């Protein structure tokens, strides 16, 4: 966890841990219907602010052209991978992007017969032995028995293996034996780092708990008429009071989960207003337009009250980490650095909110690995609505027009695989996100597929 205590303001991370802190006459040709927008258009990658592009160039060694292209390619890759995952079903074995501009999408499968469909979708195909679901199931077994000596576990889709990190020789072997896990599924990696909490209403701004420890705002949200923000659970428990970056009374924690997950939300008093921004490089506002989770290999930037704005890439989703306080599951592993006090802060990819800083290792001088708690489960668990910048209502019903009807509803968090009805059709969700006006299923094929 990256929460910083006031008395430890100068302490650097020495070990992995939580980061608190789309007319004619009779002879005219038929007029085609409107074209649905591309994923990049739907996710508004062209609106990426200069500060975000500059940080991508700095931290990933990109040219300006590569930085812009990367955001476009990542959006399209996420949509393509989601459609292929739905098509491949149980044979799906993961997907990732490669290249400086993320121009190459690879999709893995356990069936050779799937390669034609994968290539037809514009992706590279890789045939592997193990399906992603099988490796995830094995990881879930290990998660229930893991301890601090096997602190990190994740599925490496590129290598088609389940990785277990151990801090002492033999710890992973003992875990596999105790759980009856086939060693052939697992790659053991020795690490000297042990994740720990880093205890120390714009995303990335500082806030203080009970007047002492410091964490960072994740993403401003609303619940009915109440303004607040999502953050890390290890920063506080229900009832913990908060003051803002200016030490003015701010609000209190309404709910918190840690360990197990690392999620919480704070309700602010009426002096504070949620904004649809994250604090970017130099203090500039970076807009938030949605919460579509990006694929492995995609770029991601983090804002925190200790180290500010830093970028890296997503390494693995659904990672499990065992901190001294207990195991956290479902977090995302990244190459972004962080330090104490950054806990709870914002992870954003392009303009899409990804999650809140949990923990990690290393620091922003020598580099490190950090984990974020995905945002969508927080929104869903607590009934929160992410604050986003002006969304275009698109070609949906205008004022006075009848609603098309169906079960789709703006504000609902949909997971990949969920089905809804809208306008007489049935649609399956391809990428997890919180629905909003303008993102009705027929309008965003990057997010919904008609079935």
């Amino acid at each position: 966890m990256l929460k910083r205590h006031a008395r430890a303001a100068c302490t650097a991370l020495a070990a992995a841990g939580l980061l608190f802190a789309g007319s004619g006459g009779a002879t005219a040709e038929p007029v085609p219907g409107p074209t649905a927008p591309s994923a990049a258009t739907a996710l508004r990658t062209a609106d990426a602010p200069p500060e975000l592009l500059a940080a991508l160039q700095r931290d990933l060694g990109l040219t300006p052209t590569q930085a812009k292209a990367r955001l476009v390619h990542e959006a399209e890759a996420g949509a393509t991978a989601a459609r292929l995952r739905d098509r491949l079903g149980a044979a799906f074995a993961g997907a990732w992007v490669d290249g400086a501009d993320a121009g190459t999408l690879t999709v893995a499968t356990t069936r050779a017969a799937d390669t034609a469909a994968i290539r037809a979708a514009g992706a590279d195909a890789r045939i592997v032995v193990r399906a992603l679901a099988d490796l995830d199931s094995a990881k879930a077994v290990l998660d229930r028995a893991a301890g601090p000596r096997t602190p990190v576990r994740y599925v490496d889709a590129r290598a088609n293996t389940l990785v277990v990190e151990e801090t002492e020789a033999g710890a992973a072997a003992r875990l596999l034996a105790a759980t009856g896990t086939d060693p052939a599924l697992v790659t053991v990696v020795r690490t000297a780092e042990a994740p720990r909490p880093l205890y120390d209403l714009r995303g990335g701004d500082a806030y203080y708990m009970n007047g002492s420890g410091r964490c960072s705002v994740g993403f401003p949200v609303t619940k009915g008429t109440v303004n607040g923000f999502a953050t890390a659970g290890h920063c506080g428990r229900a009832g913990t009071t908060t003051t803002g970056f200016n030490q003015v009374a701010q609000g209190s924690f309404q709910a918190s989960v840690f360990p197990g997950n690392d999620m919480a939300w704070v309700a602010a008093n009426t002096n504070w207003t949620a904004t649809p921004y994250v604090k970017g490089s130099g203090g500039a506002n970076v807009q938030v337009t949605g919460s579509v989770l990006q694929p492995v290999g995609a770029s991601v930037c983090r804002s925190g009250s200790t180290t500010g704005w830093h970028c890296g890439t997503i390494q693995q989703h659904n990672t499990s980490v065992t901190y001294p306080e207990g195991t956290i599951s479902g977090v995302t592993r990244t190459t972004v650095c962080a330090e104490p006090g950054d806990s709870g802060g914002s992870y954003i990819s392009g303009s899409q909110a990804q999650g809140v800083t949990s923990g990690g290792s290393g620091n922003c001088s020598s580099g490190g690995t950090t984990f974020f708690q995905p945002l969508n489960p927080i929104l869903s668990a607590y009934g929160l609505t992410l604050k986003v910048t002006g969304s275009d209502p698109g070609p949906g019903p205008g004022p006075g027009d009848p609603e098309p009807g169906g079960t789709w509803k703006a504000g609902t968090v949909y997971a990949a695989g969920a089905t809804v009805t809208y306008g007489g059709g049935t649609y399956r969700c391809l990428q997890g996100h919180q629905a909003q006006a303008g993102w009705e299923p027929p309008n965003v094929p990057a997010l919904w597929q008609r079935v």
Side-chain angles (χ1 to χ4, degrees):
M1 294 173 280
L2 300 179
K3 159 186 168 184
R4 169 159 287 176
H5 291 294
R7 65 176 180 272
C10 297
T11 302
L13 264 169
L18 301 181
L19 307 178
F20 250 74
S23 71
T27 60
E29 292 293 328
V31 178
T35 302
S38 68
T41 299
L43 301 185
R44 300 172 63 179
T45 62
D47 294 338
E51 295 81 10
L52 184 147
L53 294 170
L56 288 174
Q57 293 169 51
R58 178 197 68 200
D59 293 344
L60 297 182
L62 306 179
T63 66
T65 299
Q66 287 172 327
K68 292 177 182 179
R70 186 177 183 106
L71 296 179
V72 172
H73 292 158
E74 289 171 354
E76 302 298 344
T80 299
R83 286 191 290 267
L84 286 169
R85 179 173 190 158
D86 186 66
R87 177 168 180 171
L88 301 183
F92 179 76
W96 58 92
V97 293
D98 287 306
D101 64 356
T104 301
L105 169 65
T106 302
V107 175
T109 178
T110 59
R111 289 190 304 243
D114 292 332
T115 58
I118 294 172
R119 290 167 182 157
D124 289 347
R126 181 174 297 179
I127 302 171
V128 297
V129 176
R130 308 175 188 96
L132 180 61
D134 293 335
L135 292 173
D136 280 342
S137 295
K139 187 180 79 67
V141 172
L142 297 182
D143 289 347
R144 291 190 287 269
R149 291 180 177 82
T150 51
V152 179
R153 301 154 306 282
Y154 56 85
V155 172
D156 184 344
R158 286 183 172 95
N160 194 227
T161 190
L162 171 55
V163 177
V164 176
E165 295 186 0
E166 63 178 12
T167 59
E168 69 174 35
R174 291 192 294 272
L175 176 62
L176 301 187
T179 57
T181 301
D182 183 356
L185 299 176
V186 177
T187 297
V188 177
V189 175
R190 185 69 180 273
T191 179
E193 299 170 342
R196 59 178 175 84
L198 302 176
Y199 288 99
D200 271 331
L201 273 162
R202 176 179 60 168
D205 277 341
Y207 70 92
Y208 300 85
M209 300 81 69
N210 290 336
S212 57
R214 170 167 57 85
C215 275
S216 302
V217 174
F219 290 93
V221 298
T222 59
K223 185 168 186 177
T225 61
V226 177
N227 290 267
F229 59 87
T231 190
H234 72 263
C235 288
R237 298 303 186 196
T240 298
T241 60
T242 67
T243 54
F245 65 91
N246 51 7
Q247 297 285 9
V248 171
Q250 181 186 68
S252 62
F253 278 72
Q254 302 299 294
S256 175
V257 177
F258 177 79
N261 297 114
D262 197 358
M263 60 173 69
W265 85 282
V266 172
N269 60 42
T270 56
N271 293 325
W272 294 80
T273 300
T275 68
Y277 302 111
V278 166
K279 183 179 181 180
S281 180
N285 286 337
V286 175
Q287 66 179 347
V288 179
T289 66
S291 62
V292 179
L293 191 64
Q294 295 299 298
V296 168
S299 61
V300 66
C301 297
R302 179 197 53 73
S303 182
S305 59
T306 297
T307 59
W309 186 254
H310 289 274
C311 299
T313 59
I314 293 173
Q315 293 180 301
Q316 286 88 23
H317 293 302
N318 193 27
T319 298
S320 296
V321 184
T322 301
Y323 300 123
E325 296 81 356
T327 293
I328 309 299
S329 296
V331 293
T332 295
R333 182 173 179 257
T334 78
T335 65
V336 187
C337 70
E339 295 182 10
D342 289 328
S343 271
S346 327
Y347 273 82
I348 188 167
S349 182
S351 64
Q352 297 300 304
Q354 300 297 294
V356 301
T357 306
S358 176
S361 59
N363 55 51
C364 288
S365 295
S366 60
T369 297
T370 57
F371 308 92
F372 68 77
Q373 162 70 57
L375 179 64
N376 285 325
I378 305 178
L379 301 177
S380 181
Y382 302 134
L384 307 174
T385 299
L386 177 65
K387 194 74 173 178
V388 298
T389 55
S391 59
D392 180 0
D401 291 339
E403 290 291 332
T407 60
W408 180 90
K409 183 180 179 181
T412 300
V413 177
Y414 292 106
T419 59
V420 299
T421 57
Y422 184 88
T426 300
Y427 296 82
R428 181 181 295 111
C429 180
L430 296 174
Q431 300 186 79
H433 67 287
Q434 184 171 61
Q436 56 179 284
W439 283 9
E440 293 81 4
N443 299 339
V444 279
L447 303 180
W448 294 98
Q449 182 175 47
R450 188 160 184 165
V451 295

